[in-house]
Amino acid sequence: SKSTAGLCHFHATSKPPPLSFVFDIDGVLIRGPHVLPTAKRALKYLEGDNPFQKKIPYILLTNGGGIGEHERCDKLGAKLGFPIKPTQFCQAHTILKKFAPKYADKPVLVLGGERDVVKKVARSYGYQKALTTLDVLAWNPSVWPFHRLSEAERAVTESIDFSKTPIAAVFVYHDPRNWALDVQVTCDVLQSGGVIGGPYISSRGRTPPVELVFCNPDLIWRSDFDRPRIGQGAFKVAFQSVYRALTGSEYPHVQYGKPTQATYEFAEELLNLHLHDLYGAPNQFKPYMVGDNPESDIAGANAAKWSSLLVKTGVYEPANGPPAYKPTMIVEDVEEAVRWAVEQEL
Ligand code: G3P
Ligand code: MG
């Protein structure tokens, strides 16, 4: 329809269909670099080829990350065959945009992803002094004697004197590539109250001076290998085990990502904005979550009072017994999921 402003509002005058979806990505839409054929059929169905004869809204909610939202949406859209807008996309660290003002001009350490990609993402969120463990090695190679910076790594470091740069927080954005280096530097930061190489201070019994934030609790996830891969949740287990061995206790931390309530509330706000964008109306109903990991996708959706559909194309394998969290329905794949959900609303 054309409004007086001449702007084309897609469906602005028609009623939204009586349902919407939140899709997990790994193990539902893709497996590693490969798009699942069922995903293309499911999105074609939602884009209009369905009994409502109109676009059924959906957003993507992943514990993945490591690159910027715009870049990931461009890559996903090209693979899936339908445009994915950043307004319908939430990855593990998207929620961190909310907390940027608190750290705008404070040095923070960001872990995960390739070289300085995540540092650039953090700075685009407003963390102007985001730094990496490669920056630490460039300052003092003896921090971790077992990794020599490659030319490509050195090229993306900056010269910082960390003895004079107290780190205010450590954010684990995505899966660290060098667990040993990242565990060592994170232990240095947290044991010395933010000053790498500084005297150890005990944070027992008081609010820890340096905040530690993880963005994805997944112990495992499904890529294109025949068995699930260990994820950022496994790095957290490794880090906390080393920190406990060194200090006698784990370090207090904040956890975001599926299944946390904060992430599901953030995703529901995003979905409502997307619905408003498409139909000029917010959500009157809870969405259908389609996921492959009972511990993250189904657990989080159930707690958020969404409907939850568990597919067999990812982490969950029926041969291993019933899922730890009971979904509304177990389906073969994402196409069966969307067709089943639409049938419930006809
Ligand atoms: O690193 C990605 C993995 O932990 C899970 O991704 O899309 O299944 O939430 P996803
Ligand atoms: Mg998944």
Side-chain angles (χ1 to χ4, degrees), residues 182-318:
D182 287 11
V183 166
Q184 174 64 79
V185 172
T186 303
C187 286
D188 286 329
V189 169
L190 301 182
Q191 283 181 279
S192 301
V195 179
I196 298 171
Y200 291 151
I201 59 169
S202 164
S203 60
R204 280 180 195 284
R206 64 191 183 88
T207 310
V210 181
E211 195 172 14
L212 174 61
V213 179
F214 292 92
C215 294
N216 165 14
D218 285 352
L219 188 60
I220 56 171
W221 63 289
R222 197 63 192 273
S223 187
D224 52 331
F225 186 63
D226 295 344
R227 287 284 159 266
R229 301 297 74 196
I230 55 173
Q232 189 185 131
F235 172 76
K236 178 168 107 175
V237 169
F239 165 74
Q240 290 286 21
S241 305
V242 169
Y243 194 83
R244 186 175 53 243
L246 290 172
T247 66
S249 57
E250 294 190 359
Y251 194 84
H253 66 273
V254 174
Q255 181 69 64
Y256 294 118
K258 297 175 288 182
T260 68
Q261 182 181 353
T263 286
Y264 273 81
E265 287 175 352
F266 186 79
E268 196 157 329
E269 282 168 30
L270 188 76
L271 177 61
N272 282 335
L273 287 172
H274 183 54
L275 269 154
H276 218 278
D277 194 28
L278 275 188
Y279 287 105
N283 236 346
Q284 295 89 19
F285 36 75
K286 295 288 185 183
Y288 286 85
M289 173 89 199
V290 184
D292 70 296
N293 186 333
E295 279 74 9
S296 67
D297 305 314
I298 307 306
N302 290 354
K305 306 274 186 286
W306 300 357
S307 300
S308 56
L309 301 173
L310 177 60
V311 297
K312 301 174 185 173
T313 52
V315 163
Y316 168 64
E317 295 186 53

Side-chain angles (χ1 to χ4, degrees), residues 133-134 137 141-142 144-150 153 178 180-181:
T133 54
L134 298 177
L137 268 195
S142 65
W144 183 246
F146 306 122
H147 180 73
R148 299 193 59 72
L149 288 178
S150 66
E153 288 172 332
N178 184 333
L181 167 65

Side-chain angles (χ1 to χ4, degrees), residues 128-144:
Q128 294 314 317
K129 293 189 175 175
L131 298 165
T132 68
T133 54
L134 298 177
D135 292 323
V136 174
L137 268 195
W139 161 64
N140 188 337
S142 65
V143 165
W144 183 246

Side-chain angles (χ1 to χ4, degrees), residues 60-80:
L60 306 187
L61 173 61
T62 177
N63 275 349
I67 65 174
E69 281 77 11
H70 282 82
E71 185 182 351
R72 185 76 202 275
C73 286
D74 289 346
K75 288 183 171 161
L76 277 171
K79 284 190 174 201
L80 293 167

